[in-house]
Amino acid sequence: MKYYLAVDIGASSGRHILAHMENGKIVLEEMYRFVNGNIRKNGHLCWDFDRLFAEIVAGIRACADAGKAPDTLGIDTWGVDFVLLDGQDHVLGDTVAYRDSRTQGMDAVLSRYISPEELYERTGIQKAIFNSIYQFMAIRRDHPEYLEQAQSFLMTPDYFNFLLTGVKKNEYTIATTGQLVSAKTNDWDDELMERVGIPARIFGKLCMPGTTVGPLKAEIAQKAGCCPTVILPASHDTGSAVLAVPANDDDFIYLSSGTWSLMGIERRTPDVSEKSMHYNFTNEGGYDHRFRYLKNIMGLWMLQSVRREMSADGRKYSFPELIAMAEEADGFPSLVDVNDDSFLAPESMTQAVKDYCAAGGQKVPQTPGEVMVVIYNSLAKCYADTVKELEEMTGRTYSRLHIVGGGCQDMFLNRKTKLATGLDVYAGPVEGTAIGNIMVQMMADGTFASLQEARTCVAASFDVKRID
């Protein structure tokens, strides 16, 4: 049996999903799961990359111990975050997370060197204050010595691949999230970097999904109990999730639903027009140089945060319990702009929702159920608005919405989304990101001859529900 391992690390959790082919279908098995989240260090929100790497190795070990050592593995994570390595391959500074406040005001700093309009025209990436380019502005302000000492730049999954194999490779799809890649050339924009004071020498050649990184280093293989070859998937988790949409036509919009909601379409050419910028669409890189023309929406982060706050007293609320509360409060009239910066990393999400409603003269939610239903209705409205904008930008209509990822299990949100958008809504597969990761590994070894063939197999292999 040949096994393929997807190491899928999100902002709140990570999992090792093992796959093999059986009777012409992809079969998945979750082998290992671990928690993730930010830690506070030296006044900043940071990732604990040392612990995450230990979890990566432990998960590989779990496969080996079960007698299912993977032949290949691929790692995908969230976008925009990175490390700088010095000449001895040591990380410079702390591994600061994108939700940290260090980038506040960095858009004003960046605009001294390049206008927002030209930046969008060059990169096609929507403005988000946490993008890598703004993080670089913060580093230049706080630690200019890091830019002098840096010899290598690696995005989060690139760094974990390096720790596993000793090989440095910059993967294309995740690189595009940082707003440093040209939408025209699909390569690093060296001229942009020179203008804004980022050393172009630290960026390696961009590699496409399907590229072989290499086998595990001997000492890592010993800890892991096996020696799989590391393959680059679409290393940005959304890039992998989009691959798993079980459709081969172009009459659909996708929604990758997790901590973030990523909603959009696939296209062969980017749209870097002023109108596209006005609507805040992004042109992220995808498999085979496709563009993921989408909008980043705050997503389940808001619901996850409310759940965490409610569980602070030791009582653990399940999502079904929270949904039941929201259903009871359904009809509560207030709405919020889910993409408002006040919801990015508030001390209390519950209070942030209340404050937003109060500031706008709306009825203020009082119960947890009312807070939840405000978020649910606001997400559904944002999805519906995004559908209209996509149709306006492309000059066409779409009949279906495919929701993939863990959020597709929330039937309350699915039904509200169907009602708000008026589209036929299909939910599944749940493990969309891991499946997309595995699809690239399988295409790399010839199991599937094309993306079309792989997507046909996904449609036959996994449960996809039509929402009534």
Side-chain angles (χ1 to χ4, degrees), residues 392-414:
E392 184 180 338
M393 292 305 301
T394 56
R396 56 168 296 183
T397 57
Y398 298 89
S399 67
R400 308 193 314 281
L401 175 65
H402 282 275
I403 307 176
V404 298
C408 79
Q409 300 170 96
D410 191 328
M411 290 300 160
F412 185 57
L413 181 56
N414 291 344

Side-chain angles (χ1 to χ4, degrees), residues 348-421:
S348 166
M349 185 65 72
T350 301
Q351 193 58 47
V353 171
K354 290 181 177 181
D355 290 347
Y356 188 99
C357 292
Q362 300 185 86
K363 189 174 180 182
V364 177
Q366 299 300 322
T367 67
E370 288 173 349
V371 171
M372 297 286 287
V373 88
V374 167
I375 295 171
Y376 273 115
N377 286 333
S378 300
L379 281 171
K381 180 182 184 302
C382 188
Y383 297 158
D385 291 344
T386 302
V387 169
K388 290 193 186 91
E389 291 165 2
L390 281 165
E391 291 183 337
E392 184 180 338
M393 292 305 301
T394 56
R396 56 168 296 183
T397 57
Y398 298 89
S399 67
R400 308 193 314 281
L401 175 65
H402 282 275
I403 307 176
V404 298
C408 79
Q409 300 170 96
D410 191 328
M411 290 300 160
F412 185 57
L413 181 56
N414 291 344
R415 288 193 296 272
K416 283 193 169 292
T417 300
K418 176 180 173 60
L419 192 64
T421 63

